[in-house]
């Protein structure tokens, strides 16, 4: 190739390379600008304060066992498993304080929902408790306490039909014990137990016990009654 033509070809190649580099640079500027805008928008969205979701209407309170006045201004819902050791401790140490300070004073009503997840007989115990509830709300709470007081070892399947019926008879809770046995064996209230479990999953309940105070999830230490008491008092104040 003559020197002149070779020089022209080289210049043309350099020109094309510069043009390509300029296009790449332009694309990078556009890309970074777009990402910057998106990041800015994300920061703005994150900076906007969000109001905690109000779950006060999340529960069908009228369909649940209730301890206290259903018209009380504060409604507390516990999700529990009758095989859960922590639930037993909560029922023994914390619930009596809630009852003394708020339930007996007409300031709060306490409700229970089943979240049976530990073993198959968690479901059996839940079926028994629901069967008792449908005979008598008052008998339910006597049976509720008895189940936790007579709780077996978590790793063993102790909540058998015979055990559950015999416990009700031993505690003399004043129901039809044959009907109780029939309801457990025929799983009469399985649909309700499943609905309770589905509600727990819907509300992203992580374990038991879990409580909701006027629909708001309590995420603190369940052994710290002072913290629970403060939240209840805040609800009474409308805070």
């Amino acid at each position: 190739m003559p020197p002149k033509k070779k020089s022209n070809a080289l210049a043309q190649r350099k020109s094309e390379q510069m043009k390509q580099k300029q296009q790449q640079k332009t694309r990078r500027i556009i890309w970074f600008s777009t990402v910057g805008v998106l990041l800015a928008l994300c920061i703005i969205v994150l900076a906007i304060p969000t109001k905690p979701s109000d779950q006060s209407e999340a529960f069908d309170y009228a369909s649940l066992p209730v301890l206290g006045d259903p018209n009380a201004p504060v409604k507390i819902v516990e999700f529990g498993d009758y095989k859960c050791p922590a639930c037993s401790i909560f029922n023994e140490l914390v619930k009596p304080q809630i009852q003394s300070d708020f339930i007996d004073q007409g300031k709060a009503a306490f409700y229970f929902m089943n979240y049976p997840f530990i073993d198959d007989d968690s479901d059996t115990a839940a079926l028994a408790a629901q069967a008792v509830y449908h005979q008598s709300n008052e008998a339910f709470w006597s049976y509720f306490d008895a189940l936790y007081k007579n709780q077996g070892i978590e790793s063993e399947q102790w909540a058998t039909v015979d055990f559950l019926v015999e416990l009700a008879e031993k505690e003399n809770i004043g129901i039809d014990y044959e009907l109780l046995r029939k309801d457990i064996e025929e799983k009469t209230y399985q649909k309700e137990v499943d609905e309770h479990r589905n509600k727990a999953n819907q509300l992203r309940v992580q374990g038991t016990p879990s409580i909701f105070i006027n629909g708001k999830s309590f995420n603190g230490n369940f052994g710290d009654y002072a913290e629970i008491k403060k939240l209840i008092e805040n609800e009474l104040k409308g805070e």
Side-chain angles (χ1 to χ4, degrees):
M1 179 184 293
K4 188 175 181 180
K5 288 186 177 181
K6 185 175 180 181
S7 175
N8 289 340
L10 183 60
Q12 187 175 358
R13 262 201 317 273
K14 287 184 178 180
S15 176
E16 288 295 329
Q17 288 174 352
M18 289 179 65
K19 185 177 179 181
Q20 289 176 0
K21 287 181 180 180
Q22 184 63 36
Q23 289 174 341
Q24 290 174 352
K25 183 177 179 182
T26 301
R27 283 197 294 268
R28 282 198 298 269
I29 292 171
I30 293 172
W31 187 86
F32 280 116
S33 298
T34 303
V35 171
V37 170
L38 290 174
L39 286 173
L41 287 173
C42 289
I43 292 169
I44 291 170
V45 171
L46 290 172
I48 297 173
T50 56
K51 185 179 179 180
S53 59
D54 184 2
Q55 304 271 15
S56 59
E57 301 303 321
F59 302 100
D60 180 11
Y61 295 106
S63 69
L64 303 176
V66 58
L67 185 64
D69 183 359
N71 296 315
V74 176
K75 299 181 187 300
I76 304 166
V77 177
E78 177 196 355
F79 281 96
D81 183 325
Y82 293 109
K83 291 196 66 176
C84 166
C87 294
S88 179
I89 294 171
F90 177 81
N91 186 63
E92 179 184 356
L93 301 179
V94 179
K95 186 168 76 66
Q97 296 184 76
I98 296 174
Q99 182 165 356
S100 175
D101 291 343
F102 300 103
I103 299 172
D104 292 346
Q105 306 300 323
K107 298 177 181 179
F110 191 91
Y111 299 82
F112 182 79
M113 295 186 74
N114 296 285
Y115 187 29
F117 69 94
I118 293 175
D119 211 333
D120 291 342
D121 57 333
S122 295
D123 245 62
T124 312
L127 288 169
Q130 285 303 108
V132 171
Y133 164 61
H134 281 279
Q135 291 197 48
S136 166
N137 180 76
E138 183 179 353
F140 169 86
W141 292 105
S142 297
Y143 193 58
F144 178 89
D145 290 337
L147 280 170
Y148 282 128
K149 286 178 182 177
N150 293 273
Q151 187 181 74
I153 298 172
E154 183 181 3
S155 59
E156 296 179 359
Q157 292 200 8
W158 53 267
T160 63
V161 176
D162 285 341
F163 173 86
L164 294 164
V165 174
E166 288 169 7
L167 178 62
E169 292 174 333
K170 177 185 173 184
E171 295 294 320
N172 193 26
I173 60 176
I175 62 167
D176 183 334
Y177 304 110
E178 288 304 316
L179 178 58
L180 171 60
R181 178 179 293 275
K182 179 175 180 290
D183 284 338
I184 300 172
E185 291 177 342
E186 296 182 0
K187 300 185 177 182
T188 304
Y189 300 104
Q190 185 68 61
K191 182 180 178 181
E192 290 184 3
V193 172
D194 291 340
E195 287 174 350
H196 289 191
R197 180 166 32 228
N198 291 339
K199 177 60 73 174
N201 290 329
Q202 178 188 333
L203 295 172
R204 299 181 181 179
V205 171
Q206 299 298 311
T208 56
S210 286
I211 63 171
F212 288 76
I213 301 172
N214 276 355
K216 300 169 186 174
S217 177
F218 171 71
N219 299 313
N221 179 2
F222 284 90
D224 185 357
Y225 173 63
E227 189 175 352
I228 296 173
K229 183 179 180 181
K230 182 180 178 181
L231 287 179
I232 297 173
E233 289 174 339
N234 287 344
E235 286 299 314
L236 288 169
K237 296 173 185 175
E239 297 179 358

